[in-house]
């Protein structure tokens, strides 16, 4: 058996796309085929394992920079690893594990429950206190409700039916008056967005470093840039707060995601105001739901107060040889749906 590791730069694209279609839904598989190089900061960050010339495994990372505990460190999001069923049991995953471990930078990720247990055994830090919150604008059409079955499905659908008139009334109230403190940014520059982050940056937080290069690549040059909206609110401190959203069609439903929130995160009034404006616009556009990922307790409180009633659990993991970084992620962290590949998996 001959095992070879290469990157997506060195393999037949059609063969790679066919392999990924076996493991991902059609939407993500198509996105990776068309925009995988953008998502991963270059195809050299997508690794392929071949056995006797046949693609047997795939692993990928996304380079980033993290601020944590007063430090700014290069890092990679570990987003995917898979071995084809017919090649499992041959210790092939160890090739990817070694390649990742040999990279000295900080490793971060959002593991599922099973992966979190494995990470703990390998000395990763793991947190399970992240929340994905959802505001149901059309409760009966929310995917988690519509696709539920059996007893749980009956309960969810009954609850959604009861919630529907309340949600309709709430959306009507939202449309009555706009908040003048919240404005839509039609053509923001990466420089302006980076200034919002820098001016209000809280060095006690562990979070993604949002400089001009990151913001330009992640949002302004995204392949779906036309689906993004930018909102700004002035806060009581005189600083600014920016929220970035994406509205798209998913499984024949229009959904809105709050991809990022940065700036002065200490002002709950401003956070609620900007979130209400996002809900107002999403309602006008016919979105079924608005989703956000939050990792700070005060943000959970602010979003719940404006109608984000449904929740799910998310997990965060990290590994670094620098004990200062390991300790920093045990404190206050702020990550969003813009981080890693969350926007393609939620």
């Amino acid at each position: 058996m001959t095992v070879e590791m290469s990157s997506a730069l060195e393999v037949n694209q059609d063969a790679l796309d066919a392999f990924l279609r076996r493991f991902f839904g059609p939407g993500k598989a198509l996105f990776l085929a068309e925009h995988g190089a953008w998502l991963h900061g270059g195809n050299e960050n997508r690794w392929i394992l071949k056995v006797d010339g046949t693609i047997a495994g795939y692993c990928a990372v996304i380079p980033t920079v993290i601020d944590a505990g007063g430090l700014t460190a290069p890092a990679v999001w570990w987003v995917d690893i898979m071995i084809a069923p017919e090649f499992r049991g041959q210790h092939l995953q160890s090739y990817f594990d070694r390649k990742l471990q040999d990279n000295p930078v900080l490793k971060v990720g959002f593991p599922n429950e099973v992966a979190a247990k494995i990470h703990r055994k390998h000395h990763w830090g793991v947190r399970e206190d992240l929340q994905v919150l959802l505001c149901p604008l059309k409760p009966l059409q929310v995917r988690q409700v519509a696709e539920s079955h059996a007893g749980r499905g009956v309960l969810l659908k009954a609850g959604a039916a009861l919630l529907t008139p309340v949600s309709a009334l709430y959306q009507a109230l939202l449309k009555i008056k706009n908040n003048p403190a919240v404005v839509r940014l039609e053509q923001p520059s990466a420089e302006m967005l980076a200034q919002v982050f820098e001016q209000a940056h809280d060095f006690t937080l562990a979070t993604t470093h949002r400089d001009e290069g990151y913001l330009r690549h992640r949002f302004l040059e995204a392949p779906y840039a036309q689906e993004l909206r930018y909102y700004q609110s002035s806060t009581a401190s005189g600083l600014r707060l920016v929220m970035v959203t994406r509205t798209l069609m998913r499984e024949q439903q229009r959904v809105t995601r709050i991809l990022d929130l940065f700036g002065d995160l200490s002002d709950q009034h401003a956070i609620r105001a900007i979130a209400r404006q996002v809900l107002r616009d999403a309602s006008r556009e016919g979105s079924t739901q608005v989703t956000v990922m939050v990792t700070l307790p005060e943000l959970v409180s602010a979003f719940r107060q404006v109608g984000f009633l449904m929740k799910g659990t998310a997990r965060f993991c990290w590994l670094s040889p620098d004990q200062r970084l390991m300790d920093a992620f045990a404190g206050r962290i702020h990550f969003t749906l813009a981080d890693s590949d969350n926007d393609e998996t939620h």
Side-chain angles (χ1 to χ4, degrees):
M1 180 177 73
T2 302
V3 179
E4 303 172 272
M5 181 177 290
S6 58
S7 75
L9 292 169
E10 306 165 274
V11 299
N12 179 274
Q13 189 63 49
D14 291 338
L16 175 58
D17 294 345
F19 180 86
L20 296 179
R21 283 196 297 270
R22 295 178 58 189
F23 300 97
F24 295 129
K28 181 172 180 180
L30 179 61
F31 184 84
L32 289 176
E34 296 179 346
H35 307 296
W38 169 81
L39 178 64
H40 296 94
N43 275 329
E44 65 272 16
N45 296 313
R46 306 169 69 197
W47 309 326
I48 317 300
L49 206 60
K50 287 184 177 181
V51 174
D52 295 332
T54 300
I55 296 178
Y58 173 84
C59 181
V61 297
I62 301 173
T64 190
V65 177
I66 299 290
D67 291 333
L71 303 173
T72 297
V76 292
W77 292 103
W78 188 8
V79 295
D80 290 313
I81 184 168
M82 60 197 66
I83 304 296
E86 62 269 27
F87 291 100
R88 291 173 188 167
Q90 301 178 37
H91 307 290
L92 295 180
Q93 183 172 327
S94 62
Y95 287 83
F96 290 137
D97 292 339
R98 283 196 297 271
K99 185 171 181 62
L100 190 70
Q101 297 295 341
D102 288 345
N103 189 335
V105 304
L106 170 68
K107 290 92 172 173
V108 285
F110 295 103
N112 59 31
E113 186 175 3
V114 173
K117 293 179 181 178
I118 296 172
H119 283 17
R120 279 197 178 95
K121 291 180 180 178
H122 290 84
H123 310 296
W124 289 62
V126 177
R127 297 180 61 149
E128 301 189 74
D129 56 345
L130 286 66
Q131 294 189 31
V132 178
L133 303 179
L134 185 151
C135 180
L137 299 177
K138 298 179 181 180
L140 285 167
Q141 296 180 37
V142 170
R143 180 174 59 86
Q144 292 91 324
V145 175
E147 295 179 359
S148 60
H149 301 288
R152 182 173 183 272
V154 172
L155 290 174
L156 283 175
K157 289 179 172 66
L162 292 172
L163 186 59
T164 296
V166 178
S167 177
L169 176 61
Y170 177 54
Q171 291 171 68
L173 293 173
L174 283 173
K175 295 174 184 177
I176 292 175
K177 185 178 180 181
N178 291 340
N179 189 324
V182 180
V183 296
R184 277 269 304 277
L185 303 173
E186 297 301 334
Q187 292 183 319
S189 68
E191 179 183 13
M192 185 277 288
L193 295 174
Q195 286 176 353
V196 174
F197 175 72
E198 289 294 340
Q199 290 171 359
H201 183 40
D202 180 354
F203 289 94
T204 69
L205 282 180
T207 190
T208 298
H209 183 72
R210 297 168 176 84
D211 61 8
E212 287 187 44
Y214 170 84
L215 292 162
R216 183 180 299 107
H217 171 262
R218 182 61 187 84
F219 298 124
L220 303 181
E221 296 177 354
Y224 44 74
Q226 73 281 358
E227 298 174 353
L228 302 181
R229 284 188 172 178
Y230 304 83
Y231 298 82
Q232 177 181 284
S233 178
S234 298
T235 71
S237 67
L239 298 173
R240 292 174 291 172
L241 183 76
V242 166
M243 186 175 285
V244 185
T245 70
R246 180 186 179 193
T247 298
L248 68 159
M249 296 300 297
R250 183 180 181 188
E251 299 175 359
Q252 300 183 328
Q253 299 286 350
R254 184 179 298 276
V255 299
T256 297
R257 299 169 179 161
I258 297 174
L259 294 190
D260 209 357
L261 175 66
F262 56 91
D264 184 3
L265 301 179
S266 67
D267 192 329
Q268 288 209 2
H269 176 77
I271 292 169
R272 292 194 298 269
I274 204 169
R276 287 192 188 100
Q277 184 62 52
V278 167
L279 292 173
R280 186 179 295 117
D281 287 352
S283 175
R284 287 172 177 162
E285 295 174 354
S287 286
T288 297
Q289 64 193 51
V290 180
T291 309
V292 62
M293 186 172 79
V294 287
T295 59
L296 289 168
E298 56 267 38
L299 294 187
V300 174
S301 175
F303 280 106
R304 284 201 169 281
Q305 290 177 50
V306 296
F308 286 75
L309 304 177
M310 302 175 67
K311 74 171 185 176
T313 298
R315 301 164 186 83
F316 175 76
C317 64
W318 68 99
L319 181 68
S320 171
D322 188 332
Q323 189 59 45
R324 295 173 299 172
L325 288 173
M326 292 300 293
D327 294 341
F329 289 106
R332 286 163 49 83
I333 65 173
H334 175 57
F335 293 107
T336 67
L337 291 178
D339 291 308
S340 186
D341 64 344
N342 281 319
D343 189 26
E344 298 307 316
T345 56
H346 282 80

